[in-house]
Amino acid sequence: MEIDFFKKVRILDGGMGQELLARGMKPNGTLWSANALLDKNYHKLLLNTHLDYIKSGADVICTTTFTTRRLRLRDNGVEDKFEYLNKKAGEIAKKAQEKYPNIKIAGELPPQNFTYEADNRETDLITKSFNEQANILNPYVDFYILHVLSSIREFECAIEAIKEFKKPYLIGIHISEGTKLPSGEKISDIKKVFDENLLGVILTCISPENFEQNFNELKNLNIPFGFKFNAFETTQPKDGYTASYGKSNGNPNEFLGQRKDLTPEVIAKIAKKFKESGATMLGGCCETTPAHIEAIKKII
């Protein structure tokens, strides 16, 4: 994996959890995409979804490990499946890569506590949680994506946790609204964690409008940058993500909403504008589909 991989324009895959639900996977508590790993009847569906993103133009696919963190598994009574689920996610992504050897696999390391909220637990505990997940994914991935994290301290913990694997990483910052992380920190504060293994910085699970609001500060980091857009109406529900999920039927768009205006054609035009302004990582997140990735590929 070359450290300058993202200095050229690369297309990342789109959303997995929402796409799997749209393709017929049944919700199972708050397991979301992890249910496609837990239930072997969905393994082929998961593989085919990876393959469809690649066929649509993705240069990079992410392991389906956003909800295979211990906390989410514990909440759903399947923490004993932690190793199996993370390993299975790696194996299925690897099968896709065997068919398309030129694509890269990003090992998805999500927030180890709650989604869209800064993790304020002890540093050692957070680092240990990242390390356990990264260790299982290591044999299957080309690099790690520190995905949808909400504080600088979480990035520090994650980077420390993956040092032993000697693989590059991509920083994926989440901002729900405005110009600050949920922790209250600025994008520019991330500079203090940079080291020689950094591939670049993207804003993840973010609206196109919010990306534009933060574009200049992101570009001014002077490293490869880009986005994974979502098509939710919000990532800051009134009662908070975790509490709202517990009241839902297992699909986050019940309380985060689903935008109808962000069609593949619209997303592609937005992606083209940012690409022409310097972004080199173009991809989707929740509520984006292979059709969105295909439209981006065609327009650039």
Side-chain angles (χ1 to χ4, degrees), residues 108-145:
E108 186 176 51
L109 297 179
Q112 296 297 303
N113 200 18
F114 299 131
T115 303
Y116 307 142
E117 297 179 28
D119 191 342
N120 295 317
R121 298 175 301 163
E122 293 181 5
T123 297
D124 289 349
L125 177 59
I126 300 171
T127 304
K128 180 176 182 291
S129 297
F130 278 122
N131 180 262
E132 286 180 334
Q133 193 170 25
N135 184 51
I136 299 169
L137 291 174
N138 183 48
Y140 308 101
V141 306
D142 298 295
F143 68 96
Y144 294 101
I145 178 170

PDB file of all heavy atoms in Angstrom, residues 108-145:
ATOM      1  N   GLU A 108     -12.342  -1.149   8.564  1.00  0.00           N
ATOM      2  CA  GLU A 108     -13.151  -0.108   9.200  1.00  0.00           C
ATOM      3  C   GLU A 108     -13.085  -0.228  10.722  1.00  0.00           C
ATOM      4  O   GLU A 108     -13.553  -1.196  11.306  1.00  0.00           O
ATOM      5  CB  GLU A 108     -14.597  -0.223   8.721  1.00  0.00           C
ATOM      6  CG  GLU A 108     -15.500   0.879   9.203  1.00  0.00           C
ATOM      7  CD  GLU A 108     -16.903   0.756   8.609  1.00  0.00           C
ATOM      8  OE1 GLU A 108     -17.497  -0.338   8.681  1.00  0.00           O
ATOM      9  OE2 GLU A 108     -17.391   1.760   8.074  1.00  0.00           O
ATOM     10  N   LEU A 109     -12.503   0.799  11.347  1.00  0.00           N
ATOM     11  CA  LEU A 109     -12.464   0.886  12.809  1.00  0.00           C
ATOM     12  C   LEU A 109     -13.395   2.012  13.228  1.00  0.00           C
ATOM     13  O   LEU A 109     -13.076   3.189  13.074  1.00  0.00           O
ATOM     14  CB  LEU A 109     -11.039   1.154  13.291  1.00  0.00           C
ATOM     15  CG  LEU A 109     -10.017   0.053  12.980  1.00  0.00           C
ATOM     16  CD1 LEU A 109      -8.636   0.461  13.491  1.00  0.00           C
ATOM     17  CD2 LEU A 109     -10.441  -1.285  13.592  1.00  0.00           C
ATOM     18  N   PRO A 110     -14.573   1.666  13.755  1.00  0.00           N
ATOM     19  CA  PRO A 110     -15.586   2.663  14.090  1.00  0.00           C
ATOM     20  C   PRO A 110     -15.384   3.219  15.492  1.00  0.00           C
ATOM     21  O   PRO A 110     -14.506   2.750  16.239  1.00  0.00           O
ATOM     22  CB  PRO A 110     -16.871   1.838  14.032  1.00  0.00           C
ATOM     23  CG  PRO A 110     -16.445   0.502  14.571  1.00  0.00           C
ATOM     24  CD  PRO A 110     -15.037   0.301  14.024  1.00  0.00           C
ATOM     25  N   PRO A 111     -16.198   4.198  15.897  1.00  0.00           N
ATOM     26  CA  PRO A 111     -16.161   4.632  17.297  1.00  0.00           C
ATOM     27  C   PRO A 111     -16.419   3.427  18.191  1.00  0.00           C
ATOM     28  O   PRO A 111     -17.310   2.624  17.906  1.00  0.00           O
ATOM     29  CB  PRO A 111     -17.285   5.672  17.386  1.00  0.00           C
ATOM     30  CG  PRO A 111     -18.148   5.432  16.192  1.00  0.00           C
ATOM     31  CD  PRO A 111     -17.250   4.892  15.141  1.00  0.00           C
ATOM     32  N   GLN A 112     -15.659   3.289  19.243  1.00  0.00           N
ATOM     33  CA  GLN A 112     -15.762   2.101  20.091  1.00  0.00           C
ATOM     34  C   GLN A 112     -16.811   2.232  21.195  1.00  0.00           C
ATOM     35  O   GLN A 112     -17.050   1.291  21.941  1.00  0.00           O
ATOM     36  CB  GLN A 112     -14.397   1.790  20.694  1.00  0.00           C
ATOM     37  CG  GLN A 112     -13.351   1.432  19.658  1.00  0.00           C
ATOM     38  CD  GLN A 112     -13.679   0.167  18.879  1.00  0.00           C
ATOM     39  OE1 GLN A 112     -13.879  -0.906  19.467  1.00  0.00           O
ATOM     40  NE2 GLN A 112     -13.744   0.277  17.554  1.00  0.00           N
ATOM     41  N   ASN A 113     -17.451   3.399  21.265  1.00  0.00           N
ATOM     42  CA  ASN A 113     -18.519   3.600  22.244  1.00  0.00           C
ATOM     43  C   ASN A 113     -19.798   3.940  21.484  1.00  0.00           C
ATOM     44  O   ASN A 113     -20.331   3.097  20.771  1.00  0.00           O
ATOM     45  CB  ASN A 113     -18.135   4.686  23.250  1.00  0.00           C
ATOM     46  CG  ASN A 113     -18.928   4.627  24.529  1.00  0.00           C
ATOM     47  OD1 ASN A 113     -19.527   3.611  24.844  1.00  0.00           O
ATOM     48  ND2 ASN A 113     -18.934   5.717  25.281  1.00  0.00           N
ATOM     49  N   PHE A 114     -20.279   5.168  21.565  1.00  0.00           N
ATOM     50  CA  PHE A 114     -21.514   5.550  20.892  1.00  0.00           C
ATOM     51  C   PHE A 114     -21.236   6.243  19.562  1.00  0.00           C
ATOM     52  O   PHE A 114     -20.168   6.808  19.348  1.00  0.00           O
ATOM     53  CB  PHE A 114     -22.355   6.473  21.796  1.00  0.00           C
ATOM     54  CG  PHE A 114     -22.760   5.841  23.091  1.00  0.00           C
ATOM     55  CD1 PHE A 114     -22.567   6.515  24.298  1.00  0.00           C
ATOM     56  CD2 PHE A 114     -23.323   4.574  23.132  1.00  0.00           C
ATOM     57  CE1 PHE A 114     -22.934   5.938  25.503  1.00  0.00           C
ATOM     58  CE2 PHE A 114     -23.693   3.983  24.328  1.00  0.00           C
ATOM     59  CZ  PHE A 114     -23.500   4.670  25.523  1.00  0.00           C
ATOM     60  N   THR A 115     -22.215   6.211  18.669  1.00  0.00           N
ATOM     61  CA  THR A 115     -22.089   6.827  17.351  1.00  0.00           C
ATOM     62  C   THR A 115     -22.411   8.315  17.418  1.00  0.00           C
ATOM     63  O   THR A 115     -23.364   8.723  18.086  1.00  0.00           O
ATOM     64  CB  THR A 115     -23.053   6.136  16.362  1.00  0.00           C
ATOM     65  OG1 THR A 115     -22.766   4.734  16.343  1.00  0.00           O
ATOM     66  CG2 THR A 115     -22.897   6.691  14.956  1.00  0.00           C
ATOM     67  N   TYR A 116     -21.614   9.123  16.707  1.00  0.00           N
ATOM     68  CA  TYR A 116     -21.799  10.580  16.623  1.00  0.00           C
ATOM     69  C   TYR A 116     -21.595  11.283  17.964  1.00  0.00           C
ATOM     70  O   TYR A 116     -22.041  12.411  18.165  1.00  0.00           O
ATOM     71  CB  TYR A 116     -23.184  10.948  16.076  1.00  0.00           C
ATOM     72  CG  TYR A 116     -23.567  10.314  14.775  1.00  0.00           C
ATOM     73  CD1 TYR A 116     -24.878   9.883  14.551  1.00  0.00           C
ATOM     74  CD2 TYR A 116     -22.656  10.158  13.740  1.00  0.00           C
ATOM     75  CE1 TYR A 116     -25.259   9.308  13.339  1.00  0.00           C
ATOM     76  CE2 TYR A 116     -23.028   9.580  12.529  1.00  0.00           C
ATOM     77  CZ  TYR A 116     -24.322   9.155  12.339  1.00  0.00           C
ATOM     78  OH  TYR A 116     -24.702   8.581  11.141  1.00  0.00           O
ATOM     79  N   GLU A 117     -20.930  10.625  18.916  1.00  0.00           N
ATOM     80  CA  GLU A 117     -20.642  11.210  20.219  1.00  0.00           C
ATOM     81  C   GLU A 117     -19.185  10.950  20.584  1.00  0.00           C
ATOM     82  O   GLU A 117     -18.663   9.867  20.326  1.00  0.00           O
ATOM     83  CB  GLU A 117     -21.533  10.601  21.315  1.00  0.00           C
ATOM     84  CG  GLU A 117     -23.019  10.848  21.143  1.00  0.00           C
ATOM     85  CD  GLU A 117     -23.831  10.186  22.249  1.00  0.00           C
ATOM     86  OE1 GLU A 117     -23.287  10.015  23.364  1.00  0.00           O
ATOM     87  OE2 GLU A 117     -24.995   9.829  21.990  1.00  0.00           O
ATOM     88  N   ALA A 118     -18.538  11.920  21.201  1.00  0.00           N
ATOM     89  CA  ALA A 118     -17.162  11.731  21.651  1.00  0.00           C
ATOM     90  C   ALA A 118     -17.108  10.662  22.742  1.00  0.00           C
ATOM     91  O   ALA A 118     -17.980  10.594  23.610  1.00  0.00           O
ATOM     92  CB  ALA A 118     -16.599  13.045  22.183  1.00  0.00           C
ATOM     93  N   ASP A 119     -16.089   9.830  22.681  1.00  0.00           N
ATOM     94  CA  ASP A 119     -15.882   8.772  23.662  1.00  0.00           C
ATOM     95  C   ASP A 119     -15.053   9.340  24.808  1.00  0.00           C
ATOM     96  O   ASP A 119     -13.869   9.631  24.654  1.00  0.00           O
ATOM     97  CB  ASP A 119     -15.162   7.600  22.996  1.00  0.00           C
ATOM     98  CG  ASP A 119     -15.134   6.346  23.868  1.00  0.00           C
ATOM     99  OD1 ASP A 119     -15.361   6.465  25.094  1.00  0.00           O
ATOM    100  OD2 ASP A 119     -14.866   5.255  23.326  1.00  0.00           O
ATOM    101  N   ASN A 120     -15.672   9.469  25.966  1.00  0.00           N
ATOM    102  CA  ASN A 120     -15.006  10.082  27.113  1.00  0.00           C
ATOM    103  C   ASN A 120     -14.515   9.069  28.140  1.00  0.00           C
ATOM    104  O   ASN A 120     -14.176   9.423  29.274  1.00  0.00           O
ATOM    105  CB  ASN A 120     -15.946  11.086  27.790  1.00  0.00           C
ATOM    106  CG  ASN A 120     -16.265  12.259  26.889  1.00  0.00           C
ATOM    107  OD1 ASN A 120     -15.378  12.801  26.222  1.00  0.00           O
ATOM    108  ND2 ASN A 120     -17.532  12.649  26.842  1.00  0.00           N
ATOM    109  N   ARG A 121     -14.442   7.809  27.755  1.00  0.00           N
ATOM    110  CA  ARG A 121     -13.954   6.788  28.666  1.00  0.00           C
ATOM    111  C   ARG A 121     -12.432   6.888  28.819  1.00  0.00           C
ATOM    112  O   ARG A 121     -11.780   7.703  28.186  1.00  0.00           O
ATOM    113  CB  ARG A 121     -14.346   5.397  28.148  1.00  0.00           C
ATOM    114  CG  ARG A 121     -15.857   5.177  28.067  1.00  0.00           C
ATOM    115  CD  ARG A 121     -16.173   3.828  27.442  1.00  0.00           C
ATOM    116  NE  ARG A 121     -15.608   3.713  26.097  1.00  0.00           N
ATOM    117  CZ  ARG A 121     -15.438   2.558  25.455  1.00  0.00           C
ATOM    118  NH1 ARG A 121     -15.782   1.428  26.035  1.00  0.00           N
ATOM    119  NH2 ARG A 121     -14.923   2.547  24.235  1.00  0.00           N
ATOM    120  N   GLU A 122     -11.853   6.026  29.647  1.00  0.00           N
ATOM    121  CA  GLU A 122     -10.412   6.050  29.897  1.00  0.00           C
ATOM    122  C   GLU A 122      -9.656   5.734  28.608  1.00  0.00           C
ATOM    123  O   GLU A 122     -10.054   4.868  27.820  1.00  0.00           O
ATOM    124  CB  GLU A 122     -10.042   5.039  30.979  1.00  0.00           C
ATOM    125  CG  GLU A 122     -10.578   5.376  32.362  1.00  0.00           C
ATOM    126  CD  GLU A 122     -10.173   4.347  33.405  1.00  0.00           C
ATOM    127  OE1 GLU A 122      -9.401   3.425  33.056  1.00  0.00           O
ATOM    128  OE2 GLU A 122     -10.622   4.472  34.549  1.00  0.00           O
ATOM    129  N   THR A 123      -8.549   6.436  28.417  1.00  0.00           N
ATOM    130  CA  THR A 123      -7.751   6.289  27.209  1.00  0.00           C
ATOM    131  C   THR A 123      -7.310   4.848  26.977  1.00  0.00           C
ATOM    132  O   THR A 123      -7.387   4.329  25.857  1.00  0.00           O
ATOM    133  CB  THR A 123      -6.515   7.209  27.278  1.00  0.00           C
ATOM    134  OG1 THR A 123      -6.950   8.568  27.332  1.00  0.00           O
ATOM    135  CG2 THR A 123      -5.606   7.008  26.077  1.00  0.00           C
ATOM    136  N   ASP A 124      -6.838   4.180  28.020  1.00  0.00           N
ATOM    137  CA  ASP A 124      -6.361   2.799  27.876  1.00  0.00           C
ATOM    138  C   ASP A 124      -7.466   1.869  27.403  1.00  0.00           C
ATOM    139  O   ASP A 124      -7.218   0.955  26.603  1.00  0.00           O
ATOM    140  CB  ASP A 124      -5.795   2.294  29.210  1.00  0.00           C
ATOM    141  CG  ASP A 124      -4.469   2.946  29.571  1.00  0.00           C
ATOM    142  OD1 ASP A 124      -3.891   3.629  28.694  1.00  0.00           O
ATOM    143  OD2 ASP A 124      -4.027   2.776  30.719  1.00  0.00           O
ATOM    144  N   LEU A 125      -8.675   2.097  27.885  1.00  0.00           N
ATOM    145  CA  LEU A 125      -9.801   1.253  27.492  1.00  0.00           C
ATOM    146  C   LEU A 125     -10.147   1.451  26.025  1.00  0.00           C
ATOM    147  O   LEU A 125     -10.390   0.487  25.281  1.00  0.00           O
ATOM    148  CB  LEU A 125     -11.014   1.568  28.366  1.00  0.00           C
ATOM    149  CG  LEU A 125     -12.318   0.806  28.037  1.00  0.00           C
ATOM    150  CD1 LEU A 125     -12.101  -0.700  28.148  1.00  0.00           C
ATOM    151  CD2 LEU A 125     -13.444   1.249  28.964  1.00  0.00           C
ATOM    152  N   ILE A 126     -10.160   2.707  25.583  1.00  0.00           N
ATOM    153  CA  ILE A 126     -10.465   2.996  24.178  1.00  0.00           C
ATOM    154  C   ILE A 126      -9.397   2.384  23.268  1.00  0.00           C
ATOM    155  O   ILE A 126      -9.709   1.747  22.254  1.00  0.00           O
ATOM    156  CB  ILE A 126     -10.546   4.518  23.943  1.00  0.00           C
ATOM    157  CG1 ILE A 126     -11.638   5.143  24.814  1.00  0.00           C
ATOM    158  CG2 ILE A 126     -10.817   4.810  22.470  1.00  0.00           C
ATOM    159  CD1 ILE A 126     -11.638   6.669  24.796  1.00  0.00           C
ATOM    160  N   THR A 127      -8.134   2.561  23.635  1.00  0.00           N
ATOM    161  CA  THR A 127      -7.034   2.023  22.831  1.00  0.00           C
ATOM    162  C   THR A 127      -7.118   0.503  22.742  1.00  0.00           C
ATOM    163  O   THR A 127      -6.937  -0.087  21.673  1.00  0.00           O
ATOM    164  CB  THR A 127      -5.678   2.436  23.429  1.00  0.00           C
ATOM    165  OG1 THR A 127      -5.622   3.862  23.530  1.00  0.00           O
ATOM    166  CG2 THR A 127      -4.521   1.939  22.578  1.00  0.00           C
ATOM    167  N   LYS A 128      -7.398  -0.147  23.855  1.00  0.00           N
ATOM    168  CA  LYS A 128      -7.520  -1.604  23.880  1.00  0.00           C
ATOM    169  C   LYS A 128      -8.653  -2.067  22.965  1.00  0.00           C
ATOM    170  O   LYS A 128      -8.509  -3.061  22.238  1.00  0.00           O
ATOM    171  CB  LYS A 128      -7.764  -2.080  25.311  1.00  0.00           C
ATOM    172  CG  LYS A 128      -7.911  -3.590  25.462  1.00  0.00           C
ATOM    173  CD  LYS A 128      -8.045  -3.966  26.928  1.00  0.00           C
ATOM    174  CE  LYS A 128      -8.140  -5.485  27.118  1.00  0.00           C
ATOM    175  NZ  LYS A 128      -9.418  -6.041  26.610  1.00  0.00           N
ATOM    176  N   SER A 129      -9.759  -1.347  22.973  1.00  0.00           N
ATOM    177  CA  SER A 129     -10.901  -1.720  22.138  1.00  0.00           C
ATOM    178  C   SER A 129     -10.539  -1.628  20.656  1.00  0.00           C
ATOM    179  O   SER A 129     -10.856  -2.529  19.873  1.00  0.00           O
ATOM    180  CB  SER A 129     -12.091  -0.805  22.440  1.00  0.00           C
ATOM    181  OG  SER A 129     -12.530  -0.955  23.775  1.00  0.00           O
ATOM    182  N   PHE A 130      -9.883  -0.541  20.264  1.00  0.00           N
ATOM    183  CA  PHE A 130      -9.448  -0.404  18.868  1.00  0.00           C
ATOM    184  C   PHE A 130      -8.473  -1.521  18.489  1.00  0.00           C
ATOM    185  O   PHE A 130      -8.552  -2.091  17.398  1.00  0.00           O
ATOM    186  CB  PHE A 130      -8.771   0.952  18.647  1.00  0.00           C
ATOM    187  CG  PHE A 130      -9.711   2.094  18.412  1.00  0.00           C
ATOM    188  CD1 PHE A 130      -9.694   3.209  19.246  1.00  0.00           C
ATOM    189  CD2 PHE A 130     -10.611   2.080  17.346  1.00  0.00           C
ATOM    190  CE1 PHE A 130     -10.552   4.289  19.007  1.00  0.00           C
ATOM    191  CE2 PHE A 130     -11.459   3.154  17.109  1.00  0.00           C
ATOM    192  CZ  PHE A 130     -11.431   4.249  17.942  1.00  0.00           C
ATOM    193  N   ASN A 131      -7.541  -1.810  19.380  1.00  0.00           N
ATOM    194  CA  ASN A 131      -6.504  -2.801  19.089  1.00  0.00           C
ATOM    195  C   ASN A 131      -7.094  -4.192  18.879  1.00  0.00           C
ATOM    196  O   ASN A 131      -6.662  -4.928  17.976  1.00  0.00           O
ATOM    197  CB  ASN A 131      -5.477  -2.822  20.217  1.00  0.00           C
ATOM    198  CG  ASN A 131      -4.374  -3.830  19.975  1.00  0.00           C
ATOM    199  OD1 ASN A 131      -4.409  -4.945  20.501  1.00  0.00           O
ATOM    200  ND2 ASN A 131      -3.389  -3.460  19.182  1.00  0.00           N
ATOM    201  N   GLU A 132      -8.063  -4.559  19.693  1.00  0.00           N
ATOM    202  CA  GLU A 132      -8.685  -5.878  19.556  1.00  0.00           C
ATOM    203  C   GLU A 132      -9.333  -6.045  18.189  1.00  0.00           C
ATOM    204  O   GLU A 132      -9.184  -7.086  17.532  1.00  0.00           O
ATOM    205  CB  GLU A 132      -9.740  -6.075  20.649  1.00  0.00           C
ATOM    206  CG  GLU A 132      -9.181  -6.315  22.030  1.00  0.00           C
ATOM    207  CD  GLU A 132     -10.276  -6.490  23.066  1.00  0.00           C
ATOM    208  OE1 GLU A 132     -11.391  -5.981  22.871  1.00  0.00           O
ATOM    209  OE2 GLU A 132     -10.004  -7.156  24.086  1.00  0.00           O
ATOM    210  N   GLN A 133     -10.045  -5.032  17.752  1.00  0.00           N
ATOM    211  CA  GLN A 133     -10.727  -5.108  16.464  1.00  0.00           C
ATOM    212  C   GLN A 133      -9.718  -5.064  15.312  1.00  0.00           C
ATOM    213  O   GLN A 133      -9.812  -5.839  14.355  1.00  0.00           O
ATOM    214  CB  GLN A 133     -11.748  -3.975  16.336  1.00  0.00           C
ATOM    215  CG  GLN A 133     -12.707  -4.173  15.166  1.00  0.00           C
ATOM    216  CD  GLN A 133     -13.858  -3.177  15.190  1.00  0.00           C
ATOM    217  OE1 GLN A 133     -13.750  -2.089  15.753  1.00  0.00           O
ATOM    218  NE2 GLN A 133     -14.958  -3.545  14.565  1.00  0.00           N
ATOM    219  N   ALA A 134      -8.745  -4.174  15.412  1.00  0.00           N
ATOM    220  CA  ALA A 134      -7.727  -4.049  14.369  1.00  0.00           C
ATOM    221  C   ALA A 134      -6.916  -5.330  14.216  1.00  0.00           C
ATOM    222  O   ALA A 134      -6.548  -5.716  13.098  1.00  0.00           O
ATOM    223  CB  ALA A 134      -6.806  -2.878  14.676  1.00  0.00           C
ATOM    224  N   ASN A 135      -6.642  -5.994  15.315  1.00  0.00           N
ATOM    225  CA  ASN A 135      -5.854  -7.226  15.293  1.00  0.00           C
ATOM    226  C   ASN A 135      -6.548  -8.320  14.488  1.00  0.00           C
ATOM    227  O   ASN A 135      -5.913  -9.038  13.706  1.00  0.00           O
ATOM    228  CB  ASN A 135      -5.605  -7.702  16.725  1.00  0.00           C
ATOM    229  CG  ASN A 135      -4.713  -8.927  16.770  1.00  0.00           C
ATOM    230  OD1 ASN A 135      -3.646  -8.962  16.175  1.00  0.00           O
ATOM    231  ND2 ASN A 135      -5.172  -9.951  17.464  1.00  0.00           N
ATOM    232  N   ILE A 136      -7.855  -8.426  14.638  1.00  0.00           N
ATOM    233  CA  ILE A 136      -8.603  -9.451  13.901  1.00  0.00           C
ATOM    234  C   ILE A 136      -8.659  -9.115  12.416  1.00  0.00           C
ATOM    235  O   ILE A 136      -8.540  -9.990  11.548  1.00  0.00           O
ATOM    236  CB  ILE A 136     -10.027  -9.589  14.475  1.00  0.00           C
ATOM    237  CG1 ILE A 136      -9.982 -10.019  15.939  1.00  0.00           C
ATOM    238  CG2 ILE A 136     -10.839 -10.609  13.661  1.00  0.00           C
ATOM    239  CD1 ILE A 136     -11.314  -9.920  16.657  1.00  0.00           C
ATOM    240  N   LEU A 137      -8.800  -7.832  12.086  1.00  0.00           N
ATOM    241  CA  LEU A 137      -8.926  -7.405  10.696  1.00  0.00           C
ATOM    242  C   LEU A 137      -7.584  -7.396   9.966  1.00  0.00           C
ATOM    243  O   LEU A 137      -7.541  -7.481   8.727  1.00  0.00           O
ATOM    244  CB  LEU A 137      -9.528  -5.996  10.635  1.00  0.00           C
ATOM    245  CG  LEU A 137     -10.995  -5.855  11.038  1.00  0.00           C
ATOM    246  CD1 LEU A 137     -11.399  -4.389  11.057  1.00  0.00           C
ATOM    247  CD2 LEU A 137     -11.893  -6.634  10.088  1.00  0.00           C
ATOM    248  N   ASN A 138      -6.494  -7.309  10.691  1.00  0.00           N
ATOM    249  CA  ASN A 138      -5.178  -7.098  10.099  1.00  0.00           C
ATOM    250  C   ASN A 138      -4.825  -8.015   8.915  1.00  0.00           C
ATOM    251  O   ASN A 138      -4.314  -7.547   7.901  1.00  0.00           O
ATOM    252  CB  ASN A 138      -4.106  -7.205  11.183  1.00  0.00           C
ATOM    253  CG  ASN A 138      -2.717  -6.914  10.660  1.00  0.00           C
ATOM    254  OD1 ASN A 138      -2.492  -5.925   9.975  1.00  0.00           O
ATOM    255  ND2 ASN A 138      -1.773  -7.795  10.978  1.00  0.00           N
ATOM    256  N   PRO A 139      -5.090  -9.326   8.985  1.00  0.00           N
ATOM    257  CA  PRO A 139      -4.687 -10.196   7.871  1.00  0.00           C
ATOM    258  C   PRO A 139      -5.435  -9.932   6.564  1.00  0.00           C
ATOM    259  O   PRO A 139      -4.992 -10.395   5.511  1.00  0.00           O
ATOM    260  CB  PRO A 139      -5.018 -11.610   8.392  1.00  0.00           C
ATOM    261  CG  PRO A 139      -5.135 -11.483   9.866  1.00  0.00           C
ATOM    262  CD  PRO A 139      -5.662 -10.103  10.103  1.00  0.00           C
ATOM    263  N   TYR A 140      -6.535  -9.198   6.641  1.00  0.00           N
ATOM    264  CA  TYR A 140      -7.404  -9.062   5.476  1.00  0.00           C
ATOM    265  C   TYR A 140      -7.360  -7.686   4.812  1.00  0.00           C
ATOM    266  O   TYR A 140      -7.910  -7.515   3.735  1.00  0.00           O
ATOM    267  CB  TYR A 140      -8.860  -9.343   5.890  1.00  0.00           C
ATOM    268  CG  TYR A 140      -9.028 -10.646   6.629  1.00  0.00           C
ATOM    269  CD1 TYR A 140      -9.151 -10.668   8.020  1.00  0.00           C
ATOM    270  CD2 TYR A 140      -9.041 -11.850   5.942  1.00  0.00           C
ATOM    271  CE1 TYR A 140      -9.287 -11.870   8.703  1.00  0.00           C
ATOM    272  CE2 TYR A 140      -9.180 -13.052   6.623  1.00  0.00           C
ATOM    273  CZ  TYR A 140      -9.298 -13.057   8.004  1.00  0.00           C
ATOM    274  OH  TYR A 140      -9.435 -14.249   8.680  1.00  0.00           O
ATOM    275  N   VAL A 141      -6.718  -6.709   5.446  1.00  0.00           N
ATOM    276  CA  VAL A 141      -6.877  -5.330   4.978  1.00  0.00           C
ATOM    277  C   VAL A 141      -5.563  -4.723   4.490  1.00  0.00           C
ATOM    278  O   VAL A 141      -4.478  -5.123   4.913  1.00  0.00           O
ATOM    279  CB  VAL A 141      -7.487  -4.435   6.079  1.00  0.00           C
ATOM    280  CG1 VAL A 141      -8.789  -5.055   6.594  1.00  0.00           C
ATOM    281  CG2 VAL A 141      -6.530  -4.211   7.243  1.00  0.00           C
ATOM    282  N   ASP A 142      -5.696  -3.748   3.584  1.00  0.00           N
ATOM    283  CA  ASP A 142      -4.533  -3.035   3.057  1.00  0.00           C
ATOM    284  C   ASP A 142      -4.195  -1.817   3.904  1.00  0.00           C
ATOM    285  O   ASP A 142      -3.039  -1.406   3.977  1.00  0.00           O
ATOM    286  CB  ASP A 142      -4.806  -2.594   1.621  1.00  0.00           C
ATOM    287  CG  ASP A 142      -5.036  -3.779   0.700  1.00  0.00           C
ATOM    288  OD1 ASP A 142      -4.087  -4.555   0.505  1.00  0.00           O
ATOM    289  OD2 ASP A 142      -6.164  -3.940   0.193  1.00  0.00           O
ATOM    290  N   PHE A 143      -5.205  -1.239   4.503  1.00  0.00           N
ATOM    291  CA  PHE A 143      -5.011  -0.104   5.405  1.00  0.00           C
ATOM    292  C   PHE A 143      -6.229  -0.014   6.316  1.00  0.00           C
ATOM    293  O   PHE A 143      -7.203  -0.744   6.143  1.00  0.00           O
ATOM    294  CB  PHE A 143      -4.789   1.199   4.633  1.00  0.00           C
ATOM    295  CG  PHE A 143      -5.986   1.706   3.856  1.00  0.00           C
ATOM    296  CD1 PHE A 143      -6.842   2.666   4.388  1.00  0.00           C
ATOM    297  CD2 PHE A 143      -6.248   1.236   2.571  1.00  0.00           C
ATOM    298  CE1 PHE A 143      -7.930   3.134   3.678  1.00  0.00           C
ATOM    299  CE2 PHE A 143      -7.339   1.703   1.840  1.00  0.00           C
ATOM    300  CZ  PHE A 143      -8.176   2.656   2.391  1.00  0.00           C
ATOM    301  N   TYR A 144      -6.159   0.850   7.300  1.00  0.00           N
ATOM    302  CA  TYR A 144      -7.286   1.063   8.217  1.00  0.00           C
ATOM    303  C   TYR A 144      -7.945   2.405   7.933  1.00  0.00           C
ATOM    304  O   TYR A 144      -7.283   3.375   7.563  1.00  0.00           O
ATOM    305  CB  TYR A 144      -6.811   1.043   9.671  1.00  0.00           C
ATOM    306  CG  TYR A 144      -6.299  -0.294  10.145  1.00  0.00           C
ATOM    307  CD1 TYR A 144      -4.932  -0.548  10.231  1.00  0.00           C
ATOM    308  CD2 TYR A 144      -7.183  -1.307  10.502  1.00  0.00           C
ATOM    309  CE1 TYR A 144      -4.455  -1.769  10.663  1.00  0.00           C
ATOM    310  CE2 TYR A 144      -6.708  -2.542  10.935  1.00  0.00           C
ATOM    311  CZ  TYR A 144      -5.355  -2.772  11.008  1.00  0.00           C
ATOM    312  OH  TYR A 144      -4.888  -3.991  11.420  1.00  0.00           O
ATOM    313  N   ILE A 145      -9.261   2.444   8.100  1.00  0.00           N
ATOM    314  CA  ILE A 145      -9.974   3.710   8.078  1.00  0.00           C
ATOM    315  C   ILE A 145     -10.557   3.931   9.464  1.00  0.00           C
ATOM    316  O   ILE A 145     -11.314   3.093   9.970  1.00  0.00           O
ATOM    317  CB  ILE A 145     -11.055   3.762   6.979  1.00  0.00           C
ATOM    318  CG1 ILE A 145     -11.810   5.098   7.037  1.00  0.00           C
ATOM    319  CG2 ILE A 145     -12.016   2.582   7.053  1.00  0.00           C
ATOM    320  CD1 ILE A 145     -12.719   5.342   5.842  1.00  0.00           C
TER     321      ILE A 145
END
